Amino acid sequence: MKEIYLDNNATTRVADEVFEEMLPFLREQYGNPSSMHAFGGRVGRAVSLARERAAAALGCVPTEIVFTSCGTESDNTAINSALTARPEKRHVVTTKVEHPAVLSYCKNLEGKGFDVTYLGVDREGLLDLDELRDALRDDTAVVSVMYANNETGVLFPIPEIGAICRERGVPLHTDAVQAVGKIPIDLSTLPVDYLALSGHKLHAPKGVGALYVRKGTPFRPFLIGGHQERGRRAGTENTASIAALGKALELAAAGVGHENTAVRALRDRLENGLLAAVPDCRLNGAREPRLPNTSNISFKYVEGEAILLMLDQFGICASSGSACTSGSLEPSHVLRALGVPFTFAHGSIRFSLSRYTTQAEIDAVLAELPRIIERLRVLSPFKKGGPEPLDEKPPCTC
Ligand SMILES: *Cc1c(COP(=O)(O)O)cnc(C)c1O
């Protein structure tokens, strides 16, 4: 059985063209790009080409791109950089719905005596920009707001947020790991100072990412050592993966149109089909503005884990918005921030498509999932018309 992979916000398959791009650097072209000899220099030119491709895809100049080991490193580096460059500023503004790469880093900063403001979202998952404006202080070192939410796909208005930050002279970092390749991004007009992206979310391999740093923005390296990346990120370059990322970004920029037509149409087919076929289900987060590939749907009275296990039997890969921790099912921090009621939050499933998703795959999900939900509801202790469970942590049955 061939799996139906609808978990592309977790990770993606490496594109064939990207794989081909890597091979020389895993075999014969193993030189160190920093070496003086021509053998290393050839590899150095491949790294330069990747940087040029990345810059062309994002609308910036190559020297503004720093290659890193992942999206997490890019996020950590941006925030750390802003704080380290201006040590008198000890305040960070972010949101409650960030990926752990930003959220956990900020929690960690609080433990070190920094001050962090976490902006909430409304029921649609959207920010109140007046609240953001009010949160900015004279000692705010950086604002870190994600471009697209990995769980719901909801987009934040980064152009407007950037304009607000500019007015106050505060640098803006955006975690664009889920946005790159799915919506158009043009850094020549987008008012952001740092932007993080990750290879494995856009059909390059795991373990490579990039951080855009606008020219003139204060920067301090996170990894300290050799002079690689013009002294901005020490460590011998992961040449094969950097070449891969360059190629993947070129493909991503060329594929944004396809994402917003073909992929969006398949996502809508899945979403509308499920909402019509299954009673008591709802979409989590705003319908628009949203990534074209993501759909987060809650099925009332059932647990996400149970749905995933049943889907798995049909080879269907998706993910759920709750994690079983210490014997209780904890709904995701994102769905909680949206105020999704517990009875819905527990049965939430995220479907995330890619350019490789086919209509036959979507139709297979539409054929199986309504039956799965029906069967699980028969077994559920919570039934329609029965007593409503309290809106607090229910016991875990997994
Ligand atoms: C996956 C993801 C990250 C982390 O990227 P890694 O390369 O896995 O470290 C950060 N932010 C968002 C929004 C993500 O989806």
Side-chain angles (χ1 to χ4, degrees), residues 2 46 49 63 120 176 183 231 258 304:
K2 182 89 178 77
L49 173 64
T63 50
I183 58 166
H258 182 80

Side-chain angles (χ1 to χ4, degrees), residues 128-171:
D128 178 344
L129 295 189
D130 287 330
E131 218 173 286
L132 166 69
R133 216 174 261 114
D134 293 344
L136 298 179
R137 312 192 316 214
D138 291 339
D139 68 336
T140 306
V142 65
V143 172
S144 183
V145 174
M146 70 200 319
Y147 210 140
N149 189 275
N150 45 301
E151 291 191 29
T152 60
V154 171
L155 300 176
F156 283 148
I158 295 301
E160 284 86 338
I161 291 170
I164 292 169
C165 292
R166 285 258 161 107
E167 251 170 55
R168 290 292 300 268
V170 179

Side-chain angles (χ1 to χ4, degrees), residues 279-343:
D280 291 309
C281 67
R282 54 168 266 171
L283 179 69
N284 294 315
R287 200 168 278 275
E288 292 296 337
R290 184 167 51 131
L291 289 177
N293 81 316
T294 308
S295 187
N296 189 311
I297 301 180
S298 278
F299 303 92
K300 207 177 178 187
Y301 310 117
V302 286
E303 276 171 10
E305 270 67 20
I307 302 171
L308 288 184
L309 288 175
M310 302 272 268
L311 284 173
D312 201 42
Q313 290 175 9
F314 295 94
I316 300 167
C317 312
S319 69
S320 81
S322 51
C324 189
T325 49
S326 63
S328 72
L329 272 178
E330 193 73 59
S332 90
H333 69 284
V334 175
L335 298 186
R336 254 185 332 199
L338 266 71
V340 176
F342 271 85
T343 43

Side-chain angles (χ1 to χ4, degrees), residues 168-355:
R168 290 292 300 268
V170 179
L172 172 63
H173 166 57
T174 188
D175 174 345
V177 169
Q178 292 293 345
V180 176
K182 297 172 190 159
I183 58 166
I185 290 181
D186 180 7
L187 288 165
S188 71
T189 55
L190 194 68
V192 307
D193 304 291
Y194 308 93
L195 177 143
L197 62 88
S198 173
H200 76 101
K201 304 289 175 75
L202 46 90
H203 305 289
K206 293 153 191 67
V208 66
L211 178 64
Y212 157 81
V213 185
R214 184 175 295 281
K215 189 171 185 292
T217 303
F219 186 82
R220 297 290 182 277
F222 197 55
L223 285 189
I224 296 164
H227 292 116
Q228 292 90 354
E229 298 296 293
R230 306 168 107 232
R232 291 176 297 179
R233 200 276 185 181
T236 301
E237 296 86 344
N238 181 355
T239 52
S241 293
I242 288 172
L245 181 56
K247 186 66 185 173
L249 281 167
E250 187 179 80
L251 295 173
V256 168
H258 182 80
E259 290 283 328
N260 285 280
T261 49
V263 178
R264 179 185 293 276
L266 288 178
R267 190 276 311 270
D268 290 347
R269 182 182 180 90
L270 174 67
E271 182 171 295
N272 295 334
L274 289 175
L275 291 173
V278 183
D280 291 309
C281 67
R282 54 168 266 171
L283 179 69
N284 294 315
R287 200 168 278 275
E288 292 296 337
R290 184 167 51 131
L291 289 177
N293 81 316
T294 308
S295 187
N296 189 311
I297 301 180
S298 278
F299 303 92
K300 207 177 178 187
Y301 310 117
V302 286
E303 276 171 10
E305 270 67 20
I307 302 171
L308 288 184
L309 288 175
M310 302 272 268
L311 284 173
D312 201 42
Q313 290 175 9
F314 295 94
I316 300 167
C317 312
S319 69
S320 81
S322 51
C324 189
T325 49
S326 63
S328 72
L329 272 178
E330 193 73 59
S332 90
H333 69 284
V334 175
L335 298 186
R336 254 185 332 199
L338 266 71
V340 176
F342 271 85
T343 43
F344 274 107
H346 279 286
S348 78
I349 300 289
R350 177 189 69 189
F351 300 98
S352 46
L353 287 62
S354 82
R355 69 176 89 127

